Amino acid sequence: MSTRIETLRDALLAQFGDRIRSATVALGELTVEVSAEHYHDIALALRDHPQTPFEQLIDLCGLDFSSHALRSEGARYAVVAHLMSIAANLRLRLRALVTDDDFPVVASVNDVWPAANWFEREAFDLYGIMFAGHGDLRRLLTDYGFVGHPFRKDFPVSGYVEMRYDPDTRRVIYQPVTIAPRENTPRVVREENYGDVGHG
């Protein structure tokens, strides 16, 4: 006997056919994986489906698979949308694989679910994923002068630039990151009598 999620998976596979790369049920959740070219069309069809309309976008985020096991499939970046059908009381994870690693672009679903606006701006800011058709794609969490995208796996932990207030120019300036070398050995190892104060 199949569960409601498995029934939904079979219905989506029948409806979209080979436009769905995979549809897996794991831990009670359905994940549908599509290519970037079919992402918007499938999102629109999911929202307008008569029996199971996924009328609500709960979350949307970017992913960098560069050091993940799924990287073997080729795509480095992906966009994941978490959807909910209030009418059918079902949830769905829609994952779109972005093919171009150098300039990742996927269609915006802001016109399908207006809640995607800030989520797409966040994915652009943190991962550098471009959303074609988004009307206001600009940085959301980092500064306008920020260099790079901090959630990419190849972004250095210390960043590229740092900002500080310059009292001479009386404004905030950016400069290359300067990190003073520091001792990484814990004091308990460095100092022979550390922790024995007053017990001598």
Side-chain angles (χ1 to χ4, degrees):
M1 180 174 188
S2 65
T3 63
R4 294 179 67 222
I5 295 176
E6 291 168 340
T7 304
L8 174 63
R9 178 195 61 195
D10 296 340
L12 292 176
L13 286 170
Q15 179 180 356
F16 298 115
D18 60 355
R19 289 190 288 169
I20 292 181
R21 294 176 54 128
S22 69
T24 57
V25 176
L27 303 173
E29 296 181 347
L30 174 61
T31 301
V32 174
E33 192 172 272
V34 299
S35 62
E37 63 181 314
H38 300 302
Y39 173 61
H40 186 272
D41 295 336
I42 290 177
L44 192 59
L46 287 171
R47 185 198 67 185
D48 297 337
H49 194 276
Q51 282 80 34
T52 55
F54 287 92
E55 62 267 39
Q56 185 173 5
L57 173 79
I58 297 173
D59 188 22
L60 185 145
C61 62
L63 292 173
D64 182 355
F65 285 128
S66 60
S67 61
H68 194 273
L70 292 178
R71 175 67 175 154
S72 62
E73 294 182 10
R76 175 179 175 180
Y77 298 105
V79 172
V80 178
H82 296 266
L83 309 175
M84 182 172 183
S85 173
I86 298 171
N89 192 21
L90 288 170
R91 293 175 187 260
L92 172 71
R93 180 182 298 118
L94 179 63
R95 182 188 301 142
L97 298 177
V98 185
T99 54
D100 189 355
D101 292 353
D102 296 325
F103 190 68
V105 180
V106 68
S108 173
V109 292
N110 194 25
D111 60 330
V112 180
W113 298 287
N117 183 5
W118 280 40
F119 292 127
E120 290 179 351
R121 285 182 58 190
E122 179 185 48
F124 161 70
D125 191 3
L126 300 179
Y127 290 96
I129 299 171
M130 303 296 293
F131 290 88
H134 192 287
D136 189 22
L137 196 61
R138 56 193 161 103
R139 290 192 180 269
L140 181 67
L141 299 173
T142 60
D143 190 62
Y144 294 121
F146 191 85
V147 177
H149 303 282
F151 277 17
R152 287 186 173 185
K153 299 287 172 80
D154 55 0
F155 190 81
V157 175
S158 61
Y160 296 111
V161 295
E162 62 186 357
M163 59 184 239
R164 68 174 179 83
Y165 179 76
D166 184 19
D168 297 332
T169 60
R170 298 193 343 208
R171 65 185 197 103
V172 173
I173 61 168
Y174 290 89
Q175 63 187 34
V177 173
T178 56
I179 299 175
R182 64 178 202 192
E183 182 63 50
N184 286 332
T185 309
R187 285 182 65 192
V188 70
V189 175
R190 278 191 323 234
E191 299 175 14
E192 185 177 324
N193 296 324
Y194 178 74
D196 292 335
V197 178
H199 299 292

